[in-house]
Amino acid sequence: MKFFLKKHFIQFIVIILFIFCISPYIKAQEEETLIKEEISNSIQEIFRNRNKAILNGDLKLIEVSYDKNTKYGTWAYEHEETKKKYLENWEEKQGVRFTDITPDIVIKRIRRKDDKFSVNLICSTEYKYVYENCPEIINRCRIGTSHVLNMAKKDNKWIITKEWYKDPFADSLNLDNLKVDSIKQYILSQNERELSNVGDRRKSAVEYADKYCGIATEKKCGYIYNKKYRNYNSQGGDCANFASQILHEGGKFKKNRSWNYDSSGATGAWLNADGFKDYMIYSGRASVIAHGSYEKVYKASYKLLPGDFIAYEKKGDITHISVVTGADCKGYSLVSCHNTDRNRVPWDLGWSDKNIKFWLVHVNY
C-alpha cells in the first residue's frame, strides 16, 4: 500500500512540475514557431509583391511592406524603387518586356531580439522576358541573392525595418547617355544564333557553369558552389575563381605555375579579376575581340561564343569577370558568374553605366 501511494505521489509531482515548469516552455516554443511561420509567409508575400511592382510599375504594392518612419526602412524601400527604374531603363534600351519574375526563397535562419526578428535567406529569382518584335518566344535567366532582413510587427503586419543584400543592379543602369533608339533597333534586327555546333570543351565549360553558379542555379542543383574550391566572396569576390574553375574543370585548360589552385590557395591569375584577364590574354590562351564603352562594343558582343568571357572595367581597374554561357532568341550573349550569382543573364544587365568599359575576350580552346 505504501509503495502504491508513493508511486502515485511521484506521478502527481511529475504532473505538477510539467504543468508549472515544462508546459509554459513548450507553449512558448510553439508560439515562437508560429511567429517564425508568420514571418516566413510575410517574406514570401513581400518578395512576390516586389516583383509584381516591377512588372506593373505600381510601387504601392510594396510601400506598406517597409517601415518608412525609420531611416533604414526608408532606404530599403527607396532601393527597390531605384531597382525598378534600372530595369525599366534596360527594357527600353533592349527592346524587351519582362513578363514574369519568380522568386524561390530559402529561409536559412530567423533569430529573435526583443520584439524584432533578424532573417537570413537566399533568393533564386527567375526573370522571363520577350522582345517587342517576337513576343511569342520567352527568354529566361536567373539571378541569386543573399539577404539579411530585420522584421517587426506593426498594425498586425510584419514589415521590413532594415535590409541588406548585394544587389546585382547596384552598378546602375545610367542609360541616359546612350543612343537608346539606335541600339534598340540594332538589337531587334538580330536573329537567333546557332551555337549547338561549338566544340565539346566549350559545351563542357557551360555545363560546369550551369551546375555551380550558386544561388542562381535551379533548385535541383542545390544552390551550391563546388566544394572542392574555397568561396572567396567574403574576401573580395569569387568571380575570377569561378571563371578559372569553368575553364579548368569544364574547358579542360591545364593549370600551371602562373595559373593555379591547390590546397595552399590560388595564384593571382586564378583568383584576381585583373590578373585573370591579363594572364588569359598575354599567355595566348585568349584574345581580345573588343574593348570600350557599351556603345563601342555591343555590336561585337554577337561574336562571343559559349566559354568566352567578359571583363568589366571601372576607373581603369577590372572589377568583375563573367563567362559566356549562351545567347537568347536575338543572339544576345548571356553570361554566368559568381558575386552576385548569375545564370545565363544578358551580359550588360546591371553594368550599362557610362563609367564602365568592357573587355570582350575570345578564349582559344
Side-chain angles (χ1 to χ4, degrees):
M1 185 67 177
K2 287 181 179 180
F3 173 77
F4 178 79
L5 290 173
K6 185 177 180 180
K7 179 181 178 183
H8 280 270
F9 178 74
I10 292 172
Q11 290 175 342
F12 176 74
I13 294 298
V14 169
I15 292 169
I16 294 299
L17 286 171
F18 179 83
I19 292 171
F20 287 97
C21 298
I22 300 173
S23 182
Y25 172 78
I26 293 174
K27 186 177 180 181
Q29 290 294 100
E30 289 175 347
E31 289 177 352
E32 188 85 351
T33 299
L34 288 172
I35 289 172
K36 289 181 178 180
E37 286 179 1
E38 271 187 23
I39 292 171
S40 179
N41 291 335
S42 295
I43 289 171
Q44 298 280 352
E45 182 181 8
I46 288 170
F47 274 62
R48 286 194 298 268
N49 285 338
R50 279 181 178 179
N51 296 328
K52 287 180 182 177
I54 291 171
L55 294 171
N56 302 336
D58 184 8
L59 286 169
K60 291 180 181 178
L61 282 168
I62 61 170
E63 194 167 3
V64 295
S65 300
Y66 296 86
D67 186 355
K68 295 180 72 176
N69 292 320
T70 68
K71 176 174 64 176
Y72 293 116
T74 300
W75 285 355
Y77 168 77
E78 289 176 345
H79 185 81
E80 295 306 313
E81 184 178 32
T82 304
K83 177 179 172 180
K84 182 180 78 72
K85 292 177 181 177
Y86 288 167
L87 292 172
E88 287 173 347
N89 286 342
W90 189 81
E91 283 179 306
E92 177 62 25
K93 183 271 299 183
Q94 198 74 5
V96 305
R97 174 174 57 86
F98 287 106
T99 58
D100 193 22
I101 306 174
T102 306
D104 188 1
I105 298 168
V106 179
I107 305 290
K108 293 292 188 178
R109 185 175 61 194
I110 301 178
R111 291 190 299 183
R112 177 194 281 270
K113 186 177 181 181
D114 299 325
D115 60 340
K116 297 180 180 179
F117 288 80
S118 176
V119 184
N120 293 69
L121 64 88
I122 61 173
C123 181
S124 182
T125 305
E126 183 184 56
Y127 291 77
K128 295 180 182 178
Y129 63 93
V130 298
Y131 282 92
E132 293 176 4
N133 59 355
C134 56
E136 70 282 359
I137 301 176
I138 297 174
N139 302 276
R140 292 174 170 84
C141 62
R142 190 175 286 271
I143 294 174
T145 47
S146 298
H147 300 248
V148 179
L149 295 88
N150 288 349
M151 307 286 292
K153 203 165 193 178
K154 185 176 181 181
D155 299 328
N156 207 36
K157 182 180 179 69
W158 288 101
I159 60 174
I160 296 172
T161 60
K162 186 177 181 179
E163 180 176 16
W164 180 90
Y165 68 103
K166 188 164 185 179
D167 186 359
F169 309 114
D171 281 283
S172 82
L173 290 176
N174 181 11
L175 303 178
D176 295 338
N177 63 306
L178 296 181
K179 298 175 182 177
V180 171
D181 288 340
S182 60
I183 293 171
K184 177 178 175 179
Q185 289 171 13
Y186 184 85
I187 293 172
L188 290 175
S189 71
Q190 301 304 302
N191 297 310
E192 187 175 6
R193 287 192 282 155
E194 176 55 61
L195 297 176
S196 62
N197 57 355
V198 298
D200 289 342
R201 289 173 65 193
R202 289 183 180 273
K203 289 178 181 177
S204 181
V206 171
E207 288 171 3
Y208 184 90
D210 285 343
K211 185 176 182 179
Y212 290 114
C213 57
I215 305 170
T217 61
E218 296 181 1
K219 184 181 290 186
K220 64 183 180 182
C221 294
Y223 304 136
I224 59 171
Y225 289 2
N226 189 341
K227 293 180 180 179
K228 283 174 56 178
Y229 297 89
R230 289 178 62 184
N231 178 349
Y232 288 93
N233 277 321
S234 62
Q235 298 171 259
D238 199 63
C239 62
N241 180 34
F242 186 47
S244 292
Q245 291 172 42
I246 292 170
L247 296 188
H248 171 64
E249 296 278 357
K252 310 306 178 187
F253 281 92
K254 293 181 179 180
K255 299 175 185 175
N256 54 41
R257 291 179 63 184
S258 298
W259 185 67
N260 189 43
Y261 179 99
D262 56 31
S263 58
S264 63
T267 61
W270 182 284
L271 188 61
N272 176 269
D274 223 335
F276 174 85
K277 185 268 294 181
D278 285 345
Y279 165 75
M280 291 301 296
I281 293 170
Y282 295 121
S283 68
R285 286 183 159 181
S287 53
V288 179
I289 294 174
H291 171 232
S293 66
Y294 179 80
E295 280 185 291
K296 184 176 179 180
V297 306
Y298 78 93
K299 291 182 180 179
S301 71
Y302 291 88
K303 297 177 183 178
L304 290 165
L305 296 174
D308 291 342
F309 71 88
I310 300 175
Y312 301 77
E313 177 188 326
K314 293 179 70 176
K315 297 180 180 179
D317 185 34
I318 302 298
T319 61
H320 185 66
I321 301 289
S322 290
V323 177
V324 179
T325 45
D328 66 16
C329 73
K330 287 293 181 182
Y332 203 76
S333 292
L334 308 176
V335 297
S336 298
C337 63
H338 288 175
N339 203 43
T340 55
D341 298 345
R342 289 171 165 89
N343 186 3
R344 301 196 182 214
V345 174
W347 65 272
D348 71 302
L349 182 56
W351 297 94
S352 304
D353 188 276
K354 63 182 179 180
N355 296 316
I356 295 174
K357 292 183 179 180
F358 305 88
W359 293 77
L360 310 186
V361 182
H362 174 78
V363 177
N364 301 317
Y365 283 84

